[in-house]
Short mmCIF file of all heavy atoms in Angstrom, two decimals:
data_model
loop_
_atom_site.label_atom_id
_atom_site.label_comp_id
_atom_site.label_asym_id
_atom_site.label_seq_id
_atom_site.Cartn_x
_atom_site.Cartn_y
_atom_site.Cartn_z
N GLY T 265 -8.39 2.03 18.38
CA GLY T 265 -9.35 2.11 19.48
C GLY T 265 -9.55 0.78 20.19
O GLY T 265 -9.71 0.73 21.41
N GLU T 266 -9.48 -0.29 19.43
CA GLU T 266 -9.75 -1.61 20.04
C GLU T 266 -8.59 -2.12 20.89
O GLU T 266 -8.71 -3.14 21.57
CB GLU T 266 -10.14 -2.63 18.96
CG GLU T 266 -9.02 -3.30 18.21
CD GLU T 266 -8.39 -2.43 17.12
OE1 GLU T 266 -8.72 -1.22 17.03
OE2 GLU T 266 -7.57 -2.95 16.37
N LYS T 267 -7.47 -1.39 20.88
CA LYS T 267 -6.30 -1.80 21.68
C LYS T 267 -6.24 -1.09 23.03
O LYS T 267 -5.28 -1.27 23.78
CB LYS T 267 -5.01 -1.50 20.91
CG LYS T 267 -4.90 -2.19 19.57
CD LYS T 267 -4.72 -3.68 19.74
CE LYS T 267 -4.57 -4.34 18.39
NZ LYS T 267 -4.76 -5.79 18.46
N ALA T 268 -7.24 -0.27 23.34
CA ALA T 268 -7.18 0.58 24.53
C ALA T 268 -6.88 -0.19 25.82
O ALA T 268 -6.15 0.29 26.68
CB ALA T 268 -8.50 1.36 24.68
N ALA T 269 -7.44 -1.41 25.94
CA ALA T 269 -7.27 -2.15 27.19
C ALA T 269 -6.08 -3.10 27.17
O ALA T 269 -5.82 -3.82 28.14
CB ALA T 269 -8.56 -2.93 27.48
N GLU T 270 -5.33 -3.10 26.07
CA GLU T 270 -4.18 -4.02 25.95
C GLU T 270 -2.93 -3.40 26.56
O GLU T 270 -2.83 -2.18 26.71
CB GLU T 270 -3.89 -4.31 24.47
CG GLU T 270 -5.05 -4.88 23.69
CD GLU T 270 -5.35 -6.33 24.02
OE1 GLU T 270 -4.71 -6.88 24.94
OE2 GLU T 270 -6.24 -6.90 23.37
N TYR T 271 -1.96 -4.26 26.85
CA TYR T 271 -0.67 -3.78 27.32
C TYR T 271 0.29 -3.65 26.13
O TYR T 271 0.17 -4.40 25.16
CB TYR T 271 -0.10 -4.73 28.39
CG TYR T 271 -0.83 -4.58 29.69
CD1 TYR T 271 -1.98 -5.30 29.96
CD2 TYR T 271 -0.38 -3.66 30.64
CE1 TYR T 271 -2.69 -5.13 31.14
CE2 TYR T 271 -1.07 -3.48 31.83
CZ TYR T 271 -2.22 -4.21 32.07
OH TYR T 271 -2.91 -4.02 33.23
N PRO T 272 1.23 -2.71 26.20
CA PRO T 272 2.10 -2.46 25.05
C PRO T 272 2.82 -3.70 24.53
O PRO T 272 3.06 -3.80 23.32
CB PRO T 272 3.12 -1.44 25.61
CG PRO T 272 2.37 -0.71 26.67
CD PRO T 272 1.45 -1.74 27.29
N ARG T 273 3.16 -4.64 25.41
CA ARG T 273 4.00 -5.77 24.96
C ARG T 273 3.35 -6.60 23.86
O ARG T 273 4.05 -7.25 23.08
CB ARG T 273 4.41 -6.66 26.13
CG ARG T 273 3.28 -7.40 26.78
CD ARG T 273 3.75 -8.38 27.86
NE ARG T 273 2.59 -8.93 28.54
CZ ARG T 273 1.95 -8.33 29.55
NH1 ARG T 273 2.38 -7.18 30.03
NH2 ARG T 273 0.88 -8.88 30.09
N ILE T 274 2.02 -6.60 23.78
CA ILE T 274 1.38 -7.43 22.76
C ILE T 274 1.22 -6.69 21.42
O ILE T 274 0.78 -7.27 20.43
CB ILE T 274 0.01 -7.98 23.21
CG1 ILE T 274 -1.02 -6.83 23.27
CG2 ILE T 274 0.08 -8.73 24.52
CD1 ILE T 274 -2.26 -7.19 22.51
N LEU T 275 1.58 -5.42 21.39
CA LEU T 275 1.36 -4.64 20.17
C LEU T 275 2.51 -4.81 19.19
O LEU T 275 3.67 -5.02 19.58
CB LEU T 275 1.24 -3.15 20.52
CG LEU T 275 0.14 -2.76 21.50
CD1 LEU T 275 0.19 -1.26 21.77
CD2 LEU T 275 -1.23 -3.16 20.98
N SER T 276 2.19 -4.67 17.90
CA SER T 276 3.24 -4.67 16.88
C SER T 276 3.97 -3.33 16.92
O SER T 276 3.49 -2.37 17.56
CB SER T 276 2.61 -4.85 15.50
OG SER T 276 1.89 -3.68 15.15
N GLY T 277 5.10 -3.26 16.22
CA GLY T 277 5.87 -2.01 16.20
C GLY T 277 5.04 -0.84 15.68
O GLY T 277 5.06 0.26 16.25
N GLY T 278 4.28 -1.10 14.61
CA GLY T 278 3.47 -0.02 14.03
C GLY T 278 2.38 0.44 15.00
O GLY T 278 2.07 1.63 15.08
N GLN T 279 1.81 -0.53 15.74
CA GLN T 279 0.77 -0.16 16.72
C GLN T 279 1.37 0.63 17.88
O GLN T 279 0.77 1.60 18.36
CB GLN T 279 0.07 -1.42 17.23
CG GLN T 279 -0.81 -2.07 16.16
CD GLN T 279 -1.22 -3.49 16.50
OE1 GLN T 279 -0.62 -4.15 17.37
NE2 GLN T 279 -2.24 -3.98 15.82
N LYS T 280 2.57 0.22 18.31
CA LYS T 280 3.23 0.98 19.39
C LYS T 280 3.50 2.41 18.93
O LYS T 280 3.35 3.36 19.69
CB LYS T 280 4.56 0.31 19.79
CG LYS T 280 4.38 -0.92 20.64
CD LYS T 280 5.74 -1.48 21.03
CE LYS T 280 5.58 -2.87 21.60
NZ LYS T 280 6.75 -3.69 21.52
N GLN T 281 3.91 2.54 17.67
CA GLN T 281 4.17 3.88 17.13
C GLN T 281 2.89 4.72 17.19
O GLN T 281 2.92 5.90 17.54
CB GLN T 281 4.68 3.75 15.69
CG GLN T 281 5.04 5.04 15.02
CD GLN T 281 6.14 5.78 15.75
OE1 GLN T 281 5.86 6.65 16.55
NE2 GLN T 281 7.38 5.41 15.48
N ARG T 282 1.77 4.11 16.85
CA ARG T 282 0.50 4.84 16.91
C ARG T 282 0.15 5.24 18.33
O ARG T 282 -0.37 6.34 18.57
CB ARG T 282 -0.64 3.97 16.36
CG ARG T 282 -0.69 3.95 14.86
CD ARG T 282 -1.62 2.86 14.37
NE ARG T 282 -1.38 2.65 12.95
CZ ARG T 282 -2.24 3.00 11.99
NH1 ARG T 282 -3.41 3.50 12.29
NH2 ARG T 282 -1.93 2.82 10.74
N VAL T 283 0.41 4.34 19.28
CA VAL T 283 0.11 4.67 20.68
C VAL T 283 1.00 5.84 21.14
O VAL T 283 0.52 6.78 21.79
CB VAL T 283 0.31 3.45 21.61
CG1 VAL T 283 0.10 3.84 23.07
CG2 VAL T 283 -0.63 2.32 21.22
N ALA T 284 2.28 5.77 20.76
CA ALA T 284 3.20 6.85 21.15
C ALA T 284 2.73 8.18 20.55
O ALA T 284 2.75 9.22 21.20
CB ALA T 284 4.62 6.52 20.70
N LEU T 285 2.28 8.10 19.29
CA LEU T 285 1.78 9.30 18.62
C LEU T 285 0.51 9.80 19.32
O LEU T 285 0.36 11.00 19.61
CB LEU T 285 1.51 8.98 17.15
CG LEU T 285 1.01 10.08 16.24
CD1 LEU T 285 2.00 11.24 16.19
CD2 LEU T 285 0.80 9.54 14.81
#
Side-chain angles (χ1 to χ4, degrees):
E266 83 282 8
K267 301 291 182 196
E270 303 286 5
Y271 286 87
R273 66 175 173 276
I274 70 129
L275 302 178
S276 70
Q279 290 165 342
K280 283 182 193 157
Q281 183 60 265
R282 281 168 194 250
V283 176
L285 181 59

